[in-house]
Amino acid sequence: MTRFFAIMAMVVGLGACVSVLPEPETPSALYRFGPTAEVAGLQLDRNVLISQPEAPRVLAGVEIAARDEAGAVRIIKGVEWADRAPRLLQLTLLDMLNGDGLGHALLPESGALADYHLSWRLAEFSLQGNTATASVEYILIDAKTRQALVQTTASVDIDARGSSASARAEAMAEAGRRAVEAGARFLVDELGPSLQN
């Protein structure tokens, strides 16, 4: 009788190892926005907290999105971001801004105090055909009063070098980099010497 239960336990154990769900596809390549080449003139004179940009769920993951002719969002198979898109955008902006200026771009989780906070939103970050579009809204906020001071939008379109998934992903990465660079220039322009007391 003990042998029967032992055999049944083994059969049930082996059955649990078999999965009826399909295995997730492993992407053939992972993409990121950096490393960023040094961009001239991007030095902050004040400290600013750089949070992750807000983004709709479909744009906030590791998948690279494309819109079809009807506007429906589809995921491009075989390519993904190396991390969630908002996190990659945040780190790219930090890399661009941490030069030799008097101020620093800081992560909110660092616990450091800053005079300003950047609130930003990823309005669009997808492909339509072979054109990559990145549209980002930036709002500079006074950290003490929580008052919005100034706002701008950066919109970038980049045509892919081909229709392959990798060429389209590279165009998306370039569009993201350029939109972040526009945000970095916005911050440098707004937080220049004229704001110092």
Side-chain angles (χ1 to χ4, degrees), residues 39-64:
V39 183
L42 294 183
Q43 298 176 359
L44 291 172
D45 287 330
R46 305 291 283 227
N47 289 342
V48 59
L49 293 177
I50 308 292
S51 59
Q52 287 188 36
E54 295 293 323
R57 187 179 63 171
V58 72
L59 304 179
V62 295
E63 296 87 5
I64 298 178

Side-chain angles (χ1 to χ4, degrees), residues 10-33:
M10 195 167 47
V11 169
V12 170
L14 288 174
C17 294
V18 177
S19 174
V20 294
L21 298 175
E23 291 294 320
E25 289 184 32
T26 304
S28 59
L30 299 176
Y31 291 85
R32 58 190 183 129
F33 306 122

Side-chain angles (χ1 to χ4, degrees), residues 76-189:
I76 299 177
K77 293 185 180 194
V79 292
E80 288 183 357
W81 297 121
D83 199 344
R84 294 180 316 98
R87 178 68 173 166
L88 291 176
L89 290 166
Q90 177 192 35
L91 295 176
T92 301
L93 184 54
L94 285 163
D95 288 344
M96 285 185 180
L97 289 172
N98 280 323
D100 297 328
L102 300 173
H104 302 282
L106 304 163
L107 288 169
E109 53 267 30
S110 70
L113 296 177
D115 303 309
Y116 300 94
H117 175 243
L118 179 68
S119 175
W120 47 324
R121 184 176 74 86
L122 194 54
E124 185 62 63
F125 194 47
S126 66
L127 285 151
Q128 185 141 18
N130 289 338
T131 302
T133 299
S135 182
V136 185
E137 297 173 359
Y138 296 94
I139 302 172
L140 183 61
I141 297 172
D142 184 302
K144 291 182 182 114
T145 65
R146 306 302 299 162
Q147 182 177 14
L149 301 174
V150 64
Q151 174 177 341
T152 192
T153 300
S155 292
V156 178
D157 290 327
I158 300 290
D159 290 326
R161 291 178 294 154
S163 58
S164 68
S166 60
R168 296 169 81 204
E170 288 167 11
M172 286 293 296
E174 181 63 22
R177 259 192 307 276
R178 289 196 191 177
V180 168
E181 183 180 338
R185 293 193 183 282
F186 161 71
L187 284 176
V188 169
D189 290 345

